[in-house]
């Protein structure tokens, strides 16, 4: 089999820490946002947040046709969030944590941001009714997004379920997960149900969960 490789240019703003998020852009480009900054790393894109340290406050668009990155200084400044492309083409960035050394100092956020790919603008959404980090985000058949689970430093995993309705840019609370977890997986099944499995009970090094 013949395969071709091409070296991709480095990001214009370094995000050396963990858990930025990328999502395929409708125009064929890839949007990368967020991430944490290493201890001692102070690029201009790193925003300090008191005792939490610093985290990336930028986003980048990668164009596979040209192999070039385009910086956007208005990305959501957090890590451990989810990125979900909506039916409209906009991208929902939800939850996450503002760490200095992910995941050791990871908290949880109720923040959410919407990226409009047509205009290239970012809009802060109303706060979620529950905090989510190291969670999952799943598209439902009716166009809503389901956020499940949460995991942050110093606390056991949580079991919140939150729905985002893009038609009204509003949030609602769903039935909680049967078992609290974070860092897990979620898969949409053909019948519309969401299978949630695995993950961690906390960040203290306990064994991963073998349940679903």
């Amino acid at each position: 089999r013949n395969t071709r490789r091409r070296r991709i240019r480095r990001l214009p703003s370094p995000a050396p820490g963990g858990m930025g998020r990328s999502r395929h852009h409708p125009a064929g480009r890839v949007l990368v946002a967020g991430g944490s900054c290493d201890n001692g790393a102070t690029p201009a894109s790193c925003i300090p947040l008191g005792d939490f340290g610093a985290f990336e406050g930028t986003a980048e668009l990668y164009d596979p046709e040209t192999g070039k990155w385009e910086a956007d200084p208005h990305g959501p400044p957090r890590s451990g969030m989810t990125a979900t492309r909506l039916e409209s083409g906009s991208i929902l960035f939800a939850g996450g944590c503002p760490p200095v050394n992910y995941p050791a100092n990871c908290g949880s956020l109720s923040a959410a941001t919407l990226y409009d790919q047509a205009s290239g603008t970012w809009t802060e959404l109303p706060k979620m009714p529950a905090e989510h980090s190291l969670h999952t985000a799943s598209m439902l058949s009716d166009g809503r997004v389901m956020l499940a689970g949460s995991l942050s430093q110093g606390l056991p995993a949580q079991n919140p379920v939150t729905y985002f309705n893009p038609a009204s840019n509003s949030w609602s609370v769903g039935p909680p997960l049967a078992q609290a977890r974070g860092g897990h997986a979620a898969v949409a099944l053909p019948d519309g149900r969401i299978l949630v499995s695995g993950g961690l009970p906390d960040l203290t090094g306990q064994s991963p969960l073998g349940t679903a």
Side-chain angles (χ1 to χ4, degrees):
R1 180 192 308 176
N2 292 324
T3 59
R4 295 197 308 170
R5 296 181 182 180
R6 183 173 67 177
R7 183 181 295 276
I8 296 176
R9 298 182 184 183
R10 296 185 64 180
L11 286 163
S13 60
M19 287 299 199
R21 278 291 178 264
S22 63
R23 183 59 55 195
H24 189 264
H25 194 277
R29 296 181 293 173
V30 179
L31 177 67
V32 181
S36 62
C37 302
D38 287 342
N39 287 321
T42 56
S45 58
C46 287
I47 301 174
L49 187 69
D51 294 338
F52 286 108
F55 51 99
E56 280 290 336
T58 63
E60 286 83 23
L61 280 166
Y62 175 71
D63 188 334
E65 293 297 321
T66 64
K68 295 181 179 180
W69 294 91
E70 177 185 347
D72 182 335
H74 304 295
R78 52 187 178 268
S79 178
M81 59 190 167
T82 51
T84 309
R85 182 179 170 185
L86 307 178
E87 291 181 344
S88 65
S90 295
I91 301 174
L92 171 68
F93 291 88
C97 57
V100 61
N101 184 21
Y102 173 88
N105 298 329
C106 184
S108 296
L109 294 174
S110 58
T113 309
L114 196 64
Y115 174 76
D116 184 334
Q117 62 87 18
S119 62
T121 56
W122 301 82
T123 302
E124 289 297 319
L125 294 171
K127 296 287 187 181
M128 297 185 290
E131 295 179 342
H132 290 273
S133 64
L134 301 181
H135 56 289
T136 54
S138 304
M139 280 290 298
L140 303 180
S141 58
D142 61 5
R144 292 182 299 160
V145 179
M146 185 186 86
L147 308 183
S150 186
L151 186 60
S152 58
Q153 178 66 20
L155 295 171
Q158 305 295 309
N159 63 349
V161 171
T162 305
Y163 295 104
F164 175 68
N165 186 344
S168 57
N169 281 354
S170 62
W171 302 95
S172 60
V173 177
L177 295 175
Q179 183 174 7
R181 64 186 75 225
H184 50 281
V187 179
L189 302 178
D191 62 5
R193 293 181 298 169
I194 305 296
L195 173 65
V196 177
S197 63
L200 297 168
D202 57 38
L203 288 174
T204 61
Q206 290 193 32
S207 298
L209 297 170
T211 56

